[in-house]
Amino acid sequence: MCIRDRFQTRWYWYGALGLVMFYLLVPVIGYPFLAHHHYLRYFMLRGQRDIPQAVLHLQQAITYVPIHAAYHRTFGELYLAAFRNAPNLDAFYEGHQAFTRAIRYNAREDQAYEKLGNLHREMFYRQLRTRPTAQNALEAYQQALQYKPHNPFILSTMASLYADLNEFDPAIALLQRAIAIEPNFVGGFQMLGRMLIHIGHEAEAHQAFQQAETILQIYQHHPRQSEYEQMLLKSLE
């Protein structure tokens, strides 16, 4: 074989190797990059209230990386919002499927569990006020607590559901746990006070209401530094 033939053969193999590497690297590097680009575009367009275009970009992100849990959770949040605005079984089903996919692709996706709980909770309050519906919400919240055990808002949401089922013992226990985690949880103390009144414990209820008022007075002129702090110091009155 002459030098020219060896040179052409060598470059043939280099070209073949390059093509193989290209087709291997595009899905590994290119697709996640493109998916993230569309995900960011989704948030930008949603902020501009261009929901139809935003949804198209979110769907494109899922097309590029179909096993990304956050993409499916975000898709589910759209249907959760739609169900809140106009309760219907289609929105509930699509939201449920999206959150379930998110959990399937990442079993530690605590936000997906929490949002799934919110979806069942909305169904309970808006369309199907039954014990099994509430139980579905409570089970989803319980899964979220495995990964966010110190979240007082999940605990208080569960407490509210138990109270609406007239199960005040677990409701009060959850609220006591919430205010132990966050001693400045104004809404938690107020909810606790209401439930204690319901079961006839007026003195303990007065203490809970008084504690909430004390916290509000202490932080009356304190600027809220974050959304979490705003929720923590928000009065239910």
Side-chain angles (χ1 to χ4, degrees):
M1 181 181 293
C2 67
I3 295 176
R4 180 180 178 181
D5 291 338
R6 283 184 297 183
F7 180 80
Q8 289 178 338
T9 301
R10 182 180 301 174
W11 277 105
Y12 170 80
W13 285 109
Y14 285 160
L17 181 61
L19 285 173
V20 171
M21 293 297 294
F22 175 80
Y23 284 110
L24 287 176
L25 290 176
V26 164
V28 174
I29 298 176
Y31 284 4
F33 175 81
L34 291 170
H36 188 63
H37 166 75
H38 284 288
Y39 194 51
L40 294 178
R41 288 280 296 171
Y42 159 78
F43 284 107
M44 185 190 75
L45 291 167
R46 186 178 178 186
Q48 297 172 355
R49 300 187 181 278
D50 188 353
I51 303 301
Q53 285 299 314
V55 170
L56 288 176
H57 281 278
L58 182 57
Q59 289 173 328
Q60 194 62 51
I62 293 173
T63 299
Y64 279 120
V65 184
I67 62 171
H68 201 299
Y71 297 168
H72 291 285
R73 183 207 359 111
T74 303
F75 204 69
E77 289 169 355
L78 285 171
Y79 284 104
L80 172 58
F83 186 79
R84 281 173 173 158
N85 291 332
N88 64 88
L89 291 179
D90 288 338
F92 178 86
Y93 176 78
E94 292 294 341
H96 189 279
Q97 289 293 98
F99 292 134
T100 302
R101 284 193 296 269
I103 292 166
R104 183 190 312 141
Y105 295 131
N106 181 3
R108 300 179 65 86
E109 175 60 66
D110 56 89
Q111 291 186 58
Y113 286 115
E114 184 177 355
K115 299 296 182 180
L116 180 60
N118 291 345
L119 183 64
H120 284 293
R121 179 174 176 268
E122 291 294 327
M123 174 62 82
F124 174 75
Y125 285 117
R126 292 173 178 268
Q127 284 203 332
L128 194 61
R129 204 177 178 93
T130 65
R131 183 66 172 78
T133 306
Q135 188 60 42
N136 288 334
L138 291 167
E139 289 175 0
Y141 288 135
Q142 192 61 51
Q143 289 290 332
L145 283 175
Q146 289 188 12
Y147 307 107
K148 296 166 68 174
H150 304 298
N151 189 311
F153 307 118
I154 295 178
L155 292 168
S156 64
T157 300
M158 293 175 69
S160 180
L161 277 168
Y162 274 117
D164 287 328
L165 293 171
N166 290 317
E167 298 180 22
F168 288 95
D169 287 344
I172 289 172
L174 285 164
L175 285 174
Q176 290 172 333
R177 182 177 162 190
I179 61 178
I181 292 169
E182 282 289 3
N184 292 325
F185 187 12
V186 173
F189 280 105
Q190 292 172 333
M191 288 177 63
L192 180 60
R194 292 175 184 177
M195 293 183 192
L196 289 169
I197 285 178
H198 189 85
I199 63 174
H201 294 191
E202 284 82 3
E204 294 177 46
H206 177 74
Q207 292 178 358
F209 286 129
Q210 187 60 48
Q211 184 61 32
E213 187 61 32
T214 300
I215 298 168
L216 287 172
Q217 290 177 0
I218 291 172
Y219 291 96
Q220 182 177 4
H221 303 294
H222 177 75
R224 308 299 190 252
Q225 301 296 326
S226 65
E227 182 180 353
Y228 180 87
E229 195 173 73
Q230 290 176 16
M231 293 174 63
L232 200 65
L233 300 175
K234 182 179 179 180
S235 174
L236 302 180
E237 302 297 332

